[in-house]
Amino acid sequence: MRIGVFVCECGTNIAATVSTGKVVDAALSMRDVLHAESIQYTCSDPGQRAVIDAIQKKGLTRVVIASCSPRMHENTFRRTVGRAGLNAYMMEMVNIREHCSWIHSDIDEATDKAIDLMQKGVARVRRQVPLHSTTVPVTKRVLVVGGGVAGIQAALDIADAGLPVTLVERGPSIGGNMARLDKTFPTLDCSSCILTPRMVEAAQHENIELMVSSEVEQVRGYIGNFDVDIRRKATCVDAEKCTGCMICQEKCPGKAPDEFNAGVGQSKAISIPFPQAVPLVAALRKEHCRLFIKGKCSVCKKVCPADAIDYEQEDRIETEKFGAIVVATGYELFDWRESYPDYGGGQYPDVVTALQYERMLSASGPNGGHVQRPSDGKEPKNVVFISCVGSRDESVGRPLCCSVGCMYIAKQAILTKEHIPDSQSYVFYIDIRAGGKGYEEFTRRAQRDFGAIYLRGRVGKIYPSNGNLVVMGTDTLSAEQVEIDADLVVLATGFAAAEGAGELARKLNISYDQYEFFSESHPKLRPVETTTGGVFLAGACQGPKDIPDTVAQASASAAKVIGLLSRGELETSPMVAAVNQMRCTGCFKCRDVCPYGAIEAVELRDGREVANVIDSLCQGCGVCNVACPPAVISLKGYTDGQLIAETMELLR
Amino acid sequence: MAIRVSSTVPGGADVVADIERRSGERVSACYQCGRCTSTCTGAFAFDYPPHRIMRMLQLGQVDEVLNSRTAQICYDCMTCSTRCPMNIDVANVIEHAKMIADERGIEGDEKEIRLFRLAFLKNVRRHGRLHEARLLTWINFRSFRPFNDLSLVPLILRRKKIHIVPPRIKNRQEVHRIFREINGGDK
């Protein structure tokens, strides 16, 4: 056995805390270690060449590389040893950076630990055997979850590449939050004017199947081959027959909250959420329908000219196969009411969220674009905007920046002046975060050309007085307290993850942060991938972001999906479970616990039934190893022998 | 005139570190949103509103803070502390500035307010709770106005608002212990 050990200095990342020379000396004193050296940057081209040279000149058969996390460079070094003519799996990576140099400061202790880790790696690689990967065919169909601008963009990009896409949306129409916006910063483009054509395109695209009022119920399988159960929720309307005439909505006597208009105004129990909805199909909400509450009504059924109403409709579950999944579930606004009693906690009708104000400004909104304040319908003259409500606030558990509040407040201040020329806007801000292209100029315009008065400080309290609201704030630039008599107060509430985001993440087996925003695989280098292969992220479900960033990320996700599915088959990891069938008792506990359905029963020639691992399905999770009573299943590359050898080496 | 920031003020950073250690608050966490000031009930009478005090401490302008009217007259209503988005107990920070000013014998312009505060604390420490008669007498003598409000004495005595005999409370040692702990063992 000829083992080579390569100790990476990683510049000073490792060498500053670990004496790499001592690690090399320790390696050379080990049995079978014929070669050891330290290399300044092992992942660099000359570094890799040094590894290849040593393997070829000294005829090494096994290699230990002590460097960074395998998450970073395992593939790099597998390819390196592969190029040197060894089996790619005859390399063991030891993490002496994240697990050692970065977290310790004492050089002697860190060096000792690095030596321990290196020795453990040698012990393990000694028992390694060559492994060979297999391939599995991929399903060339894509699931996009969420029909906002991110989902629409990703679906269109993927569909344009010729792959069939299923776009699943929880609500009755695609369009998401962007469809609710009046204008977009910094160009003041009409939001629906730029979004509606994309919505229609998605609906009409030959490669896109729209599933509205639908949710992902369960996800099984793995990259390239997912089986997804989709719940098609009962809307009591036959989508094939409905013509979108809206007669049912006109005649319906059942009032319901208007979610599309963020609670400004009211809707009906059966409705089409907004005039540009795609598909233009009504949906009935049973919880507000008189027929379902009181047992008597069915007005909509009587008036429907298309006979599209079907009260008997029930939820259906459809199971479909997909090769990749794009998650684009977006965001919702942070519910500020409980956290901010100082701002009235929702008790003052004239304290509204920016999304509610957006609907008040919109021509498709409840007042047709005439701004009327909720309490008395009066046109407001003094409008106060408060930024960072539920953002940058540790006291309510939301220290994050919403990244768009500064911009949308500037936009709304401009729109306020356009709607009500004799109005005055006041903007309480803490820092103006306007990093995007043209953003800084836009916030300056709001002040210079539209007369918005910017006050640097946070508002402490709002209280009603004589039918108006008094806003108590600070201008930290003059270090004075400020009081403003306001007709309307608009809160720039921060972003929260969409309702049920955590639940969906668990179904998809992807990770999420404490705010339930989904985690990308690497913040810089893998920004659209998740830690689960074949599942990609787009838009605000990953973290607060504006429309340009959302669209960019959606297209990036699409590119990843197209790249993945452009191959006919995927190479699987050879680190899969294997059963020692001679000793298998056939209890099939392994089959019960396997999350991938990768274990089948086979009959041996002597008639015994034993477990067999289907290599192409096994994901190497190791659950079966633990469950097996006689311990006859092991994971290739992580055999009991290897793990015990590692442990024994550490304990020696 | 340009201000001198912490690194150039002798001992400035030390005092701020002292305030942070003794109060348990992170002065450096303040990002100057000004929410403390927005509803500060004393700001009308302060020379520096609370967010300015926090900023001055961040920059190490210790002398200005210790000599400020704010540090002398803030009456700990704690509105600032309840509003702070960074969970900083701003009133506690100002209170500790006040304590350090006292330790350094800084009298400031508001002599009577300081006199009252010190007399009050001394009184409570001695008796375990407030003994008004002694407090009032002490203040009158220390402020060189021994006959101040003397005409009210019969009335207050008759209504039993104050008592000549000091109050007796259980476990007076516990109160002493609290004082000792807050003062870091000294005095």
Side-chain angles (χ1 to χ4, degrees), chain A residues 204-274:
Chain A
Q204 293 174 350
H205 203 293
E206 55 179 11
N207 285 337
I208 297 179
E209 184 192 3
L210 274 192
M211 288 192 183
V212 293
S213 299
S214 301
E215 283 188 81
V216 170
E217 185 79 8
Q218 204 193 350
V219 180
R220 294 176 302 273
Y222 54 93
I223 180 169
N225 293 283
F226 293 103
D227 289 299
V228 183
D229 292 347
I230 300 167
R231 176 179 291 273
R232 311 292 306 268
K233 292 181 285 189
T235 59
C236 299
V237 176
D238 186 336
E240 300 292 315
K241 291 183 185 166
C242 176
T243 59
C245 70
M246 294 203 196
I247 292 177
C248 55
Q249 184 173 347
E250 268 168 45
K251 303 290 181 196
C252 173
K255 298 261 190 296
D258 192 343
E259 276 139 20
F260 181 77
N261 281 323
V264 182
Q266 273 199 324
S267 181
K268 298 288 186 64
I270 187 166
S271 63
I272 288 175
F274 57 106

Side-chain angles (χ1 to χ4, degrees), chain A residues 181-217:
Chain A
L181 305 182
D182 178 35
K183 299 278 165 60
T184 58
F185 58 79
T187 47
L188 294 181
D189 282 328
C190 157
S191 185
S192 47
C193 307
I194 54 179
L195 182 65
T196 310
R198 304 292 279 165
M199 291 160 62
V200 174
E201 205 183 328
Q204 293 174 350
H205 203 293
E206 55 179 11
N207 285 337
I208 297 179
E209 184 192 3
L210 274 192
M211 288 192 183
V212 293
S213 299
S214 301
E215 283 188 81
V216 170
E217 185 79 8

